[in-house]
């Protein structure tokens, strides 16, 4: 094996990139800022022991979510991109093996998030100094975070091995992460009793249980299950990585074969069903707006989105509106929130992917040769999004309205208000994600960065504002917290929506005509600090 030379080469190439220093500095600054905010805001309201343990939990769960998303953002498209570009077979013309390539991808993509974890670990010791936290908790949590990062990267490398298209690879990686991190613990909580042995077996295959059991109150009771779950998930990560290395040479050989279009008999007949009807619908779309026709080519995605309202309806039928807040009701509310978040991520990812992929395959350059105006391009894109997501969105809103009505029926006005606020934010976020996703897809260098930038601005930034406001107004009621979250979310959406629409209408051709891979020119916002990195004299002339 040529494992060591390849890994050393990939790691040296990764650490020399300027983005590695910026990411590590950003992670350190965020950890220090969070520590300072917690110490300044909460020091007078809670005890030192509670403050130290609260900071440790915030650090732990934030880093855990970041480690889980690292594979989705970094390695979900690493192998599938090689397959699309036809370079996977070239790697095996040398004396490299599948395991060498898999470990090389792991080392190249995992060095940046690993450095982020190393930058955060010293801030965990601040919790020990504050009080209420033992050194064992810090070491166990550090071990859990490193294991979660390794698990996320290995699983997404395996899912990327089976896919060729970028969307399919990212969707498979997202489903794998959600199944292992979210679905298994929820099934363990909802389908088994507290004293059942099967409850622990549901947790043992999920990395989330490691983070739950790493803290002292739970670790003292179930230390054996903690180490068992840590060992099982670590071995699963090695199995995924070894399986990816085993499959890579076979997949590279299959890339050289060209299958006949009529092969597969029954499969081909199944694919041809409804083809005439779909062609008629496509011709109608093409006659109305060619941009909408171009953006609405994926019918499978539109069908898959309907799974989210169907799951929400199933949860609503089995939902027990308990005003006392039983565990089953809490799990159902959490499931509703996850469904809303997944739907928003689907909308933002689809909107961000369109122009980023069009710039890569040259479709956007051909589009600029047509006499279509900027407003016609935007109208066509929004029409395609409306065709794809409006039906599932209305279905989700109806389920939210039914949930609020069920809560009002049992005189739970607070729960009904929270459900209504979630429905309002779902509607506002979905419309805002379309515009911001279009603009970020036009500005970003690739679709992954566009999706990440859109998600950060619309879905994550309001929660950061809400956390700061909640830390200041600690004595507020739950209804006031819900209203605060709604107001901050709507204001954040309005700011980014107005700027994205103005930027898109005024600078569409300027951004689209820049060379591929070049940094976008600086665009000054009217009333929000949205700037893009570039020198002012590097702006190309719009034509």
């Amino acid at each position: 094996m040529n494992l060591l030379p390849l890994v050393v080469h990939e790691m040296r190439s990764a650490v020399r990139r300027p983005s590695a220093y910026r990411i590590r500095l950003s992670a350190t600054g965020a950890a220090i800022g969070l520590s300072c905010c917690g110490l300044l805001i909460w020091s007078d309201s809670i005890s030192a022991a509670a403050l130290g343990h609260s900071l440790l939990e915030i650090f732990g769960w934030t880093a855990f979510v970041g480690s889980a998303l690292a594979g989705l953002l970094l390695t979900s498209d690493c192998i599938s991109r090689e397959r699309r570009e036809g370079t996977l077979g070239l790697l095996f013309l040398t004396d490299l093996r599948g395991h060498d390539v898999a470990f090389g991808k792991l080392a190249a993509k995992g060095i940046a998030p690993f450095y982020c974890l190393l930058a955060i670990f010293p801030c965990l010791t601040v919790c020990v100094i504050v009080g209420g936290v033992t050194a064992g908790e810090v070491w166990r949590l550090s071990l859990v975070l490193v294991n979660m990062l390794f698990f996320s990267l290995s699983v997404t490398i395996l899912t990327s091995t089976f896919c060729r298209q970028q969307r399919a690879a990212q969707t498979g990686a997202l489903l794998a992460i959600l199944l292992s991190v979210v679905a298994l613990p929820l099934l363990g909580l909802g389908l088994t009793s507290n004293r059942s042995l099967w409850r622990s077996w549901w947790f043992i295959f999920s990395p989330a249980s490691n983070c739950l059991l790493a803290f002292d109150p739970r670790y003292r009771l179930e230390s054996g299950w903690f180490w068992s779950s840590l060992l099982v998930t670590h071995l699963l990560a090695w199995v995924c990585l070894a399986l990816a290395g085993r499959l890579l040479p076979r997949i590279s050989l299959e890339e050289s074969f060209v299958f006949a279009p009529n092969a597969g008999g029954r499969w081909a007949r199944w694919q041809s069903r409804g083809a005439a009807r779909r062609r008629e619908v496509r011709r109608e779309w093409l006659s109305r707006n060619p941009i909408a026709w171009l953006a609405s080519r994926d019918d499978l995605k539109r069908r898959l989105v309907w799974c989210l309202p169907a799951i929400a309806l199933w949860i609503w039928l089995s939902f027990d509106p308990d005003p006392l807040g039983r565990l089953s009701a809490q799990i159902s509310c959490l499931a509703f929130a996850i469904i809303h978040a997944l739907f928003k991520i689907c909308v933002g990812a689809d909107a961000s992917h369109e122009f980023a992929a069009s710039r890569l395959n040259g479709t956007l350059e051909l589009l600029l040769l047509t006499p279509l105006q900027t407003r016609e391009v935007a109208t066509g894109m929004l029409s395609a999004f409306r065709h794809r997501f409006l039906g599932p969105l209305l279905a989700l809103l109806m389920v939210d309205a039914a949930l609020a009505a069920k809560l009002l029926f049992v005189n739970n006005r607070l729960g009904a208000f929270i459900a209504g606020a979630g429905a309002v934010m779902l509607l506002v976020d979905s419309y805002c994600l379309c515009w911001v996703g279009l603009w970020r897809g036009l500005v970003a260098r690739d679709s992954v960065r566009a999706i990440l930038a859109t998600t950060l601005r619309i879905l994550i930034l309001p929660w950061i504002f809400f956390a700061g406001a909640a830390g200041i107004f600690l004595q507020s009621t739950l209804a006031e917290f819900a209203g605060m979250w709604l107001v901050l979310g709507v204001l954040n959406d309005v700011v980014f929506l107005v700027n994205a629409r103005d930027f898109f209408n005024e600078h569409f051709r300027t951004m689209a005509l820049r060379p591929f891979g070049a940094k976008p020119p600086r665009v000054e916002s009217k009333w929000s600090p949205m700037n893009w990195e570039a020198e002012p004299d590097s702006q190309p002339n719009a034509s």
Side-chain angles (χ1 to χ4, degrees), residues 79 88 92 97-99 101-102 157 161 243-253:
I79 304 298
L88 183 61
F92 295 103
R97 298 181 181 179
H99 299 88
V101 176
I157 286 177
T161 304
L243 186 59
R246 182 75 174 177
L247 294 175
L248 278 174
R250 301 181 182 181
I251 292 176
S252 65
L253 292 176

Side-chain angles (χ1 to χ4, degrees), residues 173-190:
L174 178 62
L175 292 177
I177 295 298
L178 289 177
L179 177 63
S180 58
V181 177
V182 180
L184 289 180
L186 288 179
L187 287 174
L189 289 173

Side-chain angles (χ1 to χ4, degrees), residues 41-59:
I41 295 174
W42 297 334
S43 58
D44 296 334
S45 58
I46 57 179
S47 62
L51 176 59
H53 201 270
S54 299
L55 285 177
L56 184 67
E57 288 185 347
I58 293 175
F59 277 126

Side-chain angles (χ1 to χ4, degrees), residues 221-243:
L221 298 176
E222 298 178 309
S223 59
W225 288 109
F226 168 78
W227 294 109
S228 300
S229 177
L230 187 68
L231 179 61
V232 168
T233 53
H234 189 73
L235 292 178
L236 284 177
W238 281 107
V239 170
C240 292
L241 197 62
L243 186 59

Side-chain angles (χ1 to χ4, degrees), residues 15 66 138 240 267 308 378 434:
V15 299
V138 175
C240 292
W267 172 257
L308 296 177
C434 293

Side-chain angles (χ1 to χ4, degrees), residues 83 247-259:
R83 296 180 61 182
L247 294 175
L248 278 174
R250 301 181 182 181
I251 292 176
S252 65
L253 292 176
E254 292 176 359
E255 294 292 330
S256 60
F257 291 95
V258 179
F259 294 95

